[in-house]
Amino acid sequence: MSAPSPETTETLEVVLLKAGRTKIRYPADVVRDDGTRVTVTAAWASPGVRDFGFVRFGPGDVFTEHYWRDRWYAVKEVRTGGGTLKGWYCDVTRPAVREGGELVVEDLDLDLWVSADGSDVLRLDEDEFAESGLAESDPHAAAAALRALDDLELLARTEGFGRLLA
């Protein structure tokens, strides 16, 4: 009789598109896929450190990323390698599509940052969104993106992300 095989973790590639081009792709371990929401974990995928002024991301950071097939955003819980919560980085995106071994998400420029203690809730990149021309080229998507940012901000300022991410 042979020994039981070790449990395997399903891995996929997260592919982040911006303006029709691949912005970044990286491997992530699937935590859960219930048919509506896909949750993955991934290490910081960019080279070096990215300092936003309000938070720094870098090697060792771990992201638990939540993508929905029916919502216009993704929520990424960010922790240090030691497990300390930094906060949540939320991307406004088109609904995610899982195709084979890839999870494809189109970034629509708008973002929201929520600090670990919830005291800082920052709307980001509204200027990039305005300059993208999405309001003219795809008014439905632009309206959905703005609603998604408003919804995320309201959630962050009221009940937080606990129930959303449970």
Side-chain angles (χ1 to χ4, degrees):
M1 187 150 116
S2 63
S5 64
E7 198 171 309
T8 58
T9 302
E10 181 184 9
T11 301
L12 54 73
E13 287 279 315
V14 175
V15 180
L16 183 63
L17 305 176
K18 190 165 184 174
R21 295 192 145 132
T22 300
K23 179 178 175 183
I24 190 170
R25 65 184 310 128
Y26 52 90
D29 293 330
V30 177
V31 174
R32 176 176 60 210
D33 183 349
D34 65 11
T36 302
R37 182 176 80 188
V38 180
T39 301
V40 301
T41 58
W44 171 247
S46 294
V49 173
R50 179 131 186 233
D51 189 342
F52 290 92
F54 49 87
V55 67
R56 291 170 47 117
F57 298 152
D61 287 346
V62 177
F63 290 68
T64 300
E65 304 176 356
H66 306 269
Y67 298 94
W68 285 265
R69 291 175 173 97
D70 64 350
R71 297 185 188 191
W72 287 72
Y73 55 78
V75 177
K76 302 172 182 181
E77 181 182 280
V78 186
R79 293 184 178 271
T80 66
T84 303
L85 179 65
K86 289 185 172 188
W88 296 268
Y89 196 92
C90 307
D91 288 318
V92 173
T93 67
R94 291 184 189 270
V97 176
R98 186 169 179 184
E99 298 173 334
E102 293 184 337
L103 183 65
V104 181
V105 184
E106 184 179 349
D107 184 348
L108 298 177
D109 293 313
L110 295 170
D111 302 300
L112 187 79
W113 168 254
V114 182
S115 62
D117 65 2
S119 63
D120 289 329
V121 178
L122 306 172
R123 292 171 72 109
L124 306 170
D125 303 327
E126 290 177 294
D127 55 338
E128 287 180 31
F129 178 77
E131 292 168 8
S132 74
L134 189 64
E136 293 78 29
S137 65
D138 191 344
H140 168 74
L146 289 169
R147 274 192 310 276
L149 184 62
D150 290 343
D151 291 349
L152 285 166
E153 181 180 13
L154 179 63
L155 193 60
R157 293 186 184 281
T158 57
E159 63 187 81
F161 295 130
R163 275 196 356 211
L164 176 67
L165 304 180

